[in-house]
Amino acid sequence: MSEKFIIGVDGSEQSRAALDWGLRRAGERGASVELMYVTDDTFLSESVAFVSEAQKASDEMLAAECAYAKRSGFAGSVTGTAVVGHPVTELEQASKRADLLVLGAHSGSRFAGTFFGTRAVKVAAVAHCPVAVIPKPRTAEEVERVPGIVVGVDGSEPSKRAIAVAAAEASRAGVPLIAVYAWMPPLTPGLEYLWSEDLIAAQRSAAEEAIAIGTAGLAERYPDLELQRKLVQAPPVTALVEAATGADLLVVGSRGHGGFSRLLLGSVSHGVLQELPCPTLVTRAE
């Protein structure tokens, strides 16, 4: 059975970037595509006539995006769904019938609080399938491309799942897998002098052991995979954002479905989605 991708659309430049990315990936994977447009009814009148007009406008927007998808050259199946409702709730429900949910990411006050923006983070926290959040493409003048797929290693179950997904993605794409382990010596203000060079060396040795354990078995499973291990003395979000700037994909893990709190997504996943250095895939717990 082929995969199904749901791609959020709204006609903006940012959502077109997500649509283009999603269509390319669907074409590579032989997946069918469903485009979804949600009119936020939070501030709409509840009158029947007003809701009817909102639905009509949604249908027109969706038809335009479906036409764009077909003009792009995508040869697979494209369907569309237009609804009036709460965007996070509607996408959370839609994710139950998808193998991947693809969202664009807006920035700036114009789009603050709209369907995408920070709501992409909320959707990623509650979705029942993996979620890809796609930034607006940047030019070579803006950022140097770094071929490869980046994943964080920290020994947690979400990290283990992310590593497995990232390795499969890198092997399929024929690009390096860049495994990043971020470490920091415990800092107690005013007592930094207690950390000798020997203690720092011990911390680094522990980090080397942790990244070796986290990536163990990948060489046997993917003999042709180029694996790059990076130890970075920095906070995890900073390390991942720097490593992934210009990369093909960043893969991060979530703690699984369970509610709207950002903590259910994880502070690191939440942080990188706020920065979004490249297309970012949030994996789900098994």
Side-chain angles (χ1 to χ4, degrees):
M1 185 175 179
S2 65
E3 293 180 300
K4 179 177 183 177
F5 294 177
I6 293 180
I7 306 175
V9 295
D10 67 5
S12 69
E13 184 179 9
Q14 289 86 346
S15 82
R16 283 285 175 88
L19 179 53
D20 290 339
W21 187 92
L23 291 173
R24 285 196 302 271
R25 184 179 178 89
E28 295 167 355
R29 303 288 288 265
S32 63
V33 169
E34 176 185 342
L35 307 188
M36 188 165 185
Y37 178 77
V38 183
T39 298
D40 191 343
D41 67 355
T42 305
F43 302 105
L44 296 182
S45 166
E46 294 182 358
S47 71
V48 174
F50 204 94
V51 172
S52 177
E53 285 300 309
Q55 185 64 59
K56 180 181 177 182
S58 297
D59 291 339
E60 291 174 352
M61 170 63 74
L62 183 65
E65 295 305 287
C66 286
Y68 174 87
K70 292 174 182 177
R71 289 197 306 271
S72 73
F74 176 65
S77 170
V78 178
T79 59
T81 300
V83 297
V84 178
H86 190 284
V88 176
T89 300
E90 296 296 339
L91 265 293
E92 185 264 333
Q93 290 298 313
S95 71
K96 294 178 181 179
R97 63 177 186 267
D99 295 291
L100 178 68
L101 181 60
V102 183
L103 304 176
H106 292 307
S107 61
S109 60
R110 178 185 173 191
F111 295 101
T114 57
F115 174 17
F116 299 104
T118 57
R119 286 185 178 170
V121 176
K122 294 179 181 179
V123 172
V126 300
H128 298 264
C129 69
V131 177
V133 185
I134 313 303
K136 178 183 174 182
R138 288 185 282 182
T139 65
E141 289 73 23
E142 293 175 308
V143 61
E144 181 181 358
R145 183 170 179 270
V146 183
I149 293 176
V150 178
V151 65
V153 179
D154 65 10
S156 67
E157 288 304 316
S159 171
K160 292 176 183 178
R161 173 61 178 162
I163 292 167
V165 171
E169 290 282 341
S171 177
R172 184 183 299 111
V175 297
L177 175 64
I178 304 167
V180 178
Y181 188 96
W183 66 282
M184 290 285 290
L187 297 179
T188 304
L191 298 179
E192 292 86 352
Y193 66 91
L194 294 177
W195 284 89
S196 66
E197 291 185 4
D198 288 343
L199 288 173
I200 295 294
Q203 287 284 309
R204 182 175 180 83
S205 177
E208 291 172 346
E209 181 180 1
I211 198 170
I213 293 172
T215 57
L218 294 181
E220 290 75 16
R221 187 169 185 180
Y222 304 104
D224 297 327
L225 177 65
E226 178 185 342
L227 175 60
Q228 300 176 13
R229 298 182 179 92
K230 290 190 175 182
L231 298 178
V232 183
Q233 187 174 342
V237 172
T238 299
L240 287 173
V241 168
E242 290 183 356
T245 298
D248 295 305
L249 187 69
L250 170 60
V251 182
V252 295
S254 75
R255 299 178 186 177
H257 177 74
F260 284 79
S261 169
R262 74 176 180 86
L263 294 177
L264 293 172
L265 182 64
S267 58
V268 173
S269 300
H270 182 270
V272 299
L273 287 181
Q274 296 284 30
E275 297 289 338
L276 214 60
C278 68
T280 300
L281 179 64
V282 182
T283 63
R284 308 308 303 171
E286 291 287 0

